[in-house]
Amino acid sequence: KEPHSEADQMAIGLQIRDNGVSPEIPSNCDPCLKELMERCWQLDPERRPTMEQICDVLDKRLEENTVDK
């Protein structure tokens, strides 16, 4: 089952923006992706990763996952 699939995505976005609330991250989430999500949800834009940094993290994780299999 997709996490938060029953939730109103716009309402979640507004809660993050207005109240600093973020969705619960499932306990079985990859730690690398959990950290990336938490960085992306920083209220201070200066503390968020750039798109280039996001792509680097995802590319690295994809490579690791491919090598692991």
Side-chain angles (χ1 to χ4, degrees), residues 4-52:
H4 315 292
S5 60
E6 70 285 347
D8 178 348
Q9 301 301 310
M10 183 59 81
I12 290 174
L14 293 173
Q15 285 291 318
I16 293 169
R17 185 194 71 189
D18 297 340
N19 303 317
V21 175
S22 55
E24 182 179 335
I25 299 173
S27 60
N28 63 344
C29 182
D30 181 305
C32 177
L33 298 179
K34 178 182 185 286
E35 179 184 342
L36 179 59
M37 284 187 276
E38 290 171 341
R39 289 178 57 207
C40 288
W41 293 339
Q42 291 293 319
L43 293 179
D44 179 359
E46 295 297 318
R47 296 186 63 199
R48 295 182 205 141
T50 64
M51 192 63 193
E52 182 178 357

